[in-house]
Amino acid sequence: MVSTHPPVLPISSTTTTQPPIVTAVVESQPPAVRAFVNGVTETVRGGLSRSRPWSELLDRSAFSKPDSLSEAATRFRKNSSYFRVNYVCIVALILGFSLLAHPFSLILLLCLAASWLFLYLFRPSDRPLVLFGRSFSEYETLGGLILSTIAVIFFTSVGSVLISALMIGVATVCVHGAFRAPDDLFLDEQDAAAVGFLSFIGVPAVAPSASSAPSPV
């Protein structure tokens, strides 16, 4: 008697394997991303640990009108050496609020930053970039990213938002530095030896020893 049921085909479990290029990219990118995030986190944490108390920055009794332009410049120089981390935080906060108030500029800036990170910085150097079936060399990728950066900054609202926010932040810092009397401010030896407004970046915070005396600003 012939069976009317169709024969049962054997089912074999097959596993799909990714191409070697995709596997290399997936395996090499997460450690690089983690290392980058850890480095940025440690830098920000080390910089913030060197900030001055905000109550000292906003001490109303220490504000007075400078007698001359030269005195205002001297005050700003001393205050920028003492409150450099706080000043950078103020400019960064103004820049962040300005970008949040302009979501389109924020999205463009995030896309541009992601392009630099994943298409150039975190991409394996021995693997060419392949888009739309075309392979791009290292110099072509870099040139395209530079042109994209110029286009985003100068031909969209991103440039005006960044420039206006930076101008407001710098003006705020200059006004505070000129009107805040620095007579009661003292620098540690490590801070006095630091040169540059962003010299705190990458410098580990060291607790002052008991034998070291503070030097006046």
Side-chain angles (χ1 to χ4, degrees), residues 48-59:
L48 292 178
S49 65
R50 302 174 63 84
S51 63
R52 305 297 180 178
W54 292 96
S55 59
E56 190 175 8
L57 179 79
L58 302 175
D59 186 9

Side-chain angles (χ1 to χ4, degrees), residues 52 78 81-82 84 185-189 191-192 213-217:
R52 305 297 180 178
K78 295 180 179 180
S81 299
Y82 189 81
R84 60 166 66 94
L185 305 181
F186 295 92
L187 288 175
D188 299 331
E189 292 182 357
D191 293 329
S215 59
V217 177

